[in-house]
Amino acid sequence: MSQSHAPGGAGHTGRRQIIAIAAAVSFLSFFDLSVINVMLPSIERTLGAGNGAVQWVVSGYSLMFALALVPAGRLGDARGRRHALLFGLTLFIGASAVAGTAGSGTALVVARLAQGAAAGVLVPQLTALVEELFHPDQRGRPFGFLGATASVATAIGPVIGGLIIALGGAEHGWRLVFLSNVPIGVVAAVLVWRLFPAKPLSGQTDHRPDLIGTLLLGTGIMLVILPALQREQWKGLLPLLLVPAGIGVLFAFRSWETSTARRHPPVFDFRLLTHRTYRLGLLLGFFYYAGFTSLPLIFSLHLQYGLHLNPLHAGLTIAPFAVGSALGALLGGRHVKRLGRRLIAVGLLTVMASLALMTALTSSTGTTFSVVNAFPLLLAGVGSGLVITPNNTLTLAQVPKPDAGSAAGMYRTMRQVGSAIGLAVITATLLGAVTANGGHWSTALRYALVVEIGIVTAALLTNLADIVGNRRQPLDPAP
């Protein structure tokens, strides 16, 4: 394609370079999301951080990721993708340097919150770049490339993290993982500055951030998950009152968003929820991310704390889950048009069956635990891929095209909110059960897996409701 035919004026070679750099940025964001799973025991022993800090290190990243997505998308629309990416990379590099040199659990938590916010700034720019630089019929390959990069980062993150810790030692290895982000981020920032378009390419006109809406959403979610994150520090039933308070703030968030939509774009456009398949797909994404995201983490904690295996062993054990996810995503993308939400039902049932099998195998010890769980983890990954990719496609398919950007932003945010809440609740279940059962990690893992099965069941019921609704009232294509 000649330069004149490419949106934004980028030629074929230039666009390939931009997508390659975007893939590297995507790798950086998702690598740090997955590598933390094998680093936590080493971090706790080095810094003397308690379980509360450990949970914040994981859940805080996902929470800030979620809250930054929509405002960051608007930042890129207004100032251009280059400026937004440079801001996100600068924040990510600085946060990684602080994390790698942290002398306390508090400093590390603050750094991880900043890292999560930075990732939330970076990721929406990458999707928008593909939409701006490629015509609709040419977007499949670059989107697939970015998705594959994220899957690879998720798959090899724990393995690379375990290897670096093995080489650098428990005290310094985890620091090297964080510090390695610095030179990579600097190189990426230089390339973004040199090659990315400087001016906004978006045709949108109103880019004002909904700061009050973002603040209400963040406060409400924080109040809901705080009792789980602060379980050890806050005793008694009084902290549980924060949950209804958080729900009240979320109702206030909805009222604000409904009123602000008349003046400028809100964080969440609740009018989109009138589309039934979008509404149920959004809820399914929330439940599923709340249920499955914690699986690699609780396995890693059990392997290192319960079975006293090293981080590399933990990374290799949970690798089949990520490999299965990539395979499932390929299958899901290939068959979603033909099977629709029936394919998602198959994926959810597969995940539930694999979780049930893992629950039955929790009493295994040593290397045997890793061997017998390899197939269930692979199966869970395949099922996960059959859920995530098809739900992405089907949830957004019925949204009117003028609302597609807003709908995609809401969907990504709800998934990450579900991830943050699920990580907090399920990790709290695991660690609380360890304490309640005299340090029996196998029993605690069984309880955590049962909670995961319950949440995934909620996702299945949501999907079945959409299938039944489609049979009663067929949906017209999006205008």
Side-chain angles (χ1 to χ4, degrees), residues 93 96-101 115 172-184:
I93 292 166
S96 296
V98 173
T101 56
Q115 269 192 324
H172 301 292
W174 64 270
R175 295 185 185 277
L176 293 175
V177 175
F178 285 127
L179 293 175
S180 66
N181 291 330
V182 175
I184 298 173

Short mmCIF file of all heavy atoms in Angstrom, two decimals, residues 93 96-101 115 172-184:
data_model
loop_
_atom_site.label_atom_id
_atom_site.label_comp_id
_atom_site.label_asym_id
_atom_site.label_seq_id
_atom_site.Cartn_x
_atom_site.Cartn_y
_atom_site.Cartn_z
N ILE A 93 9.00 2.97 33.60
CA ILE A 93 10.45 2.87 33.86
C ILE A 93 10.76 3.33 35.28
O ILE A 93 11.49 2.66 36.03
CB ILE A 93 11.24 3.70 32.84
CG1 ILE A 93 11.13 3.08 31.44
CG2 ILE A 93 12.70 3.84 33.25
CD1 ILE A 93 11.58 4.02 30.33
N SER A 96 9.42 0.82 37.83
CA SER A 96 10.23 -0.40 37.84
C SER A 96 11.53 -0.19 38.60
O SER A 96 11.99 -1.07 39.34
CB SER A 96 10.53 -0.84 36.40
OG SER A 96 9.35 -1.19 35.72
N ALA A 97 12.15 0.99 38.43
CA ALA A 97 13.38 1.29 39.15
C ALA A 97 13.13 1.35 40.65
O ALA A 97 13.92 0.83 41.45
CB ALA A 97 13.96 2.62 38.66
N VAL A 98 12.01 1.97 41.05
CA VAL A 98 11.66 2.03 42.48
C VAL A 98 11.38 0.63 43.02
O VAL A 98 11.82 0.27 44.12
CB VAL A 98 10.45 2.95 42.70
CG1 VAL A 98 9.97 2.87 44.15
CG2 VAL A 98 10.80 4.38 42.34
N ALA A 99 10.65 -0.19 42.24
CA ALA A 99 10.34 -1.55 42.68
C ALA A 99 11.62 -2.38 42.85
O ALA A 99 11.76 -3.13 43.81
CB ALA A 99 9.41 -2.23 41.67
N GLY A 100 12.56 -2.23 41.92
CA GLY A 100 13.78 -3.01 41.98
C GLY A 100 14.71 -2.63 43.10
O GLY A 100 15.58 -3.41 43.50
N THR A 101 14.55 -1.41 43.63
CA THR A 101 15.42 -0.95 44.72
C THR A 101 14.64 -0.76 46.03
O THR A 101 15.17 -0.20 46.98
CB THR A 101 16.09 0.38 44.34
OG1 THR A 101 15.06 1.35 44.01
CG2 THR A 101 17.01 0.21 43.15
N GLN A 115 3.18 1.07 38.45
CA GLN A 115 3.38 0.20 37.28
C GLN A 115 2.04 -0.17 36.64
O GLN A 115 1.91 -0.16 35.42
CB GLN A 115 4.08 -1.09 37.71
CG GLN A 115 5.59 -1.06 37.62
CD GLN A 115 6.17 -2.46 37.77
OE1 GLN A 115 5.67 -3.29 38.53
NE2 GLN A 115 7.23 -2.73 37.05
N HIS A 172 18.22 -11.15 45.50
CA HIS A 172 18.46 -10.14 44.45
C HIS A 172 17.78 -10.48 43.13
O HIS A 172 17.60 -9.58 42.29
CB HIS A 172 19.96 -9.98 44.21
CG HIS A 172 20.73 -9.56 45.43
ND1 HIS A 172 20.59 -8.32 46.01
CD2 HIS A 172 21.64 -10.25 46.19
CE1 HIS A 172 21.39 -8.24 47.08
NE2 HIS A 172 22.03 -9.40 47.20
N GLY A 173 17.40 -11.73 42.92
CA GLY A 173 16.84 -12.12 41.63
C GLY A 173 15.57 -11.37 41.28
O GLY A 173 15.40 -10.90 40.14
N TRP A 174 14.65 -11.23 42.25
CA TRP A 174 13.40 -10.53 41.96
C TRP A 174 13.65 -9.06 41.64
O TRP A 174 12.92 -8.46 40.84
CB TRP A 174 12.41 -10.68 43.11
CG TRP A 174 12.83 -10.04 44.41
CD1 TRP A 174 13.54 -10.62 45.41
CD2 TRP A 174 12.54 -8.70 44.83
NE1 TRP A 174 13.73 -9.72 46.45
CE2 TRP A 174 13.11 -8.54 46.12
CE3 TRP A 174 11.86 -7.62 44.27
CZ2 TRP A 174 13.03 -7.34 46.84
CZ3 TRP A 174 11.77 -6.44 44.98
CH2 TRP A 174 12.34 -6.30 46.24
N ARG A 175 14.69 -8.49 42.25
CA ARG A 175 15.03 -7.09 41.94
C ARG A 175 15.52 -6.97 40.49
O ARG A 175 15.19 -6.00 39.79
CB ARG A 175 16.12 -6.59 42.89
CG ARG A 175 15.67 -6.53 44.36
CD ARG A 175 16.77 -5.91 45.22
NE ARG A 175 16.44 -5.93 46.63
CZ ARG A 175 15.68 -5.01 47.24
NH1 ARG A 175 15.19 -4.01 46.54
NH2 ARG A 175 15.44 -5.09 48.54
N LEU A 176 16.29 -7.96 40.04
CA LEU A 176 16.78 -7.93 38.67
C LEU A 176 15.64 -8.00 37.67
O LEU A 176 15.73 -7.40 36.58
CB LEU A 176 17.75 -9.10 38.44
CG LEU A 176 19.07 -9.04 39.21
CD1 LEU A 176 19.87 -10.32 38.98
CD2 LEU A 176 19.89 -7.82 38.79
N VAL A 177 14.57 -8.72 38.02
CA VAL A 177 13.41 -8.79 37.12
C VAL A 177 12.82 -7.40 36.90
O VAL A 177 12.56 -6.98 35.77
CB VAL A 177 12.35 -9.75 37.69
CG1 VAL A 177 11.09 -9.72 36.81
CG2 VAL A 177 12.88 -11.17 37.77
N PHE A 178 12.60 -6.68 37.99
CA PHE A 178 12.07 -5.32 37.87
C PHE A 178 13.04 -4.39 37.15
O PHE A 178 12.65 -3.61 36.28
CB PHE A 178 11.75 -4.75 39.26
CG PHE A 178 10.51 -5.30 39.89
CD1 PHE A 178 10.54 -5.85 41.17
CD2 PHE A 178 9.30 -5.27 39.22
CE1 PHE A 178 9.41 -6.35 41.76
CE2 PHE A 178 8.14 -5.78 39.81
CZ PHE A 178 8.20 -6.32 41.08
N LEU A 179 14.33 -4.46 37.52
CA LEU A 179 15.32 -3.54 36.95
C LEU A 179 15.55 -3.79 35.46
O LEU A 179 15.96 -2.89 34.73
CB LEU A 179 16.63 -3.65 37.72
CG LEU A 179 16.57 -3.14 39.18
CD1 LEU A 179 17.89 -3.41 39.89
CD2 LEU A 179 16.24 -1.65 39.23
N SER A 180 15.29 -5.02 35.01
CA SER A 180 15.47 -5.31 33.58
C SER A 180 14.48 -4.52 32.72
O SER A 180 14.70 -4.33 31.51
CB SER A 180 15.31 -6.81 33.32
OG SER A 180 13.97 -7.23 33.59
N ASN A 181 13.37 -4.06 33.34
CA ASN A 181 12.41 -3.25 32.59
C ASN A 181 13.00 -1.90 32.18
O ASN A 181 12.55 -1.30 31.20
CB ASN A 181 11.17 -2.98 33.44
CG ASN A 181 10.33 -4.22 33.67
OD1 ASN A 181 10.31 -5.12 32.85
ND2 ASN A 181 9.64 -4.26 34.80
N VAL A 182 13.97 -1.42 32.95
CA VAL A 182 14.47 -0.06 32.74
C VAL A 182 15.15 0.08 31.38
O VAL A 182 14.76 0.95 30.57
CB VAL A 182 15.40 0.37 33.89
CG1 VAL A 182 16.01 1.74 33.60
CG2 VAL A 182 14.62 0.40 35.21
N PRO A 183 16.20 -0.71 31.05
CA PRO A 183 16.83 -0.52 29.72
C PRO A 183 15.88 -0.84 28.57
O PRO A 183 15.91 -0.16 27.53
CB PRO A 183 18.02 -1.49 29.75
CG PRO A 183 17.70 -2.47 30.83
CD PRO A 183 16.90 -1.74 31.84
N ILE A 184 15.03 -1.85 28.75
CA ILE A 184 14.08 -2.19 27.68
C ILE A 184 13.11 -1.02 27.46
O ILE A 184 12.81 -0.64 26.32
CB ILE A 184 13.32 -3.48 28.03
CG1 ILE A 184 14.29 -4.66 28.14
CG2 ILE A 184 12.25 -3.77 26.97
CD1 ILE A 184 13.66 -5.93 28.66
#
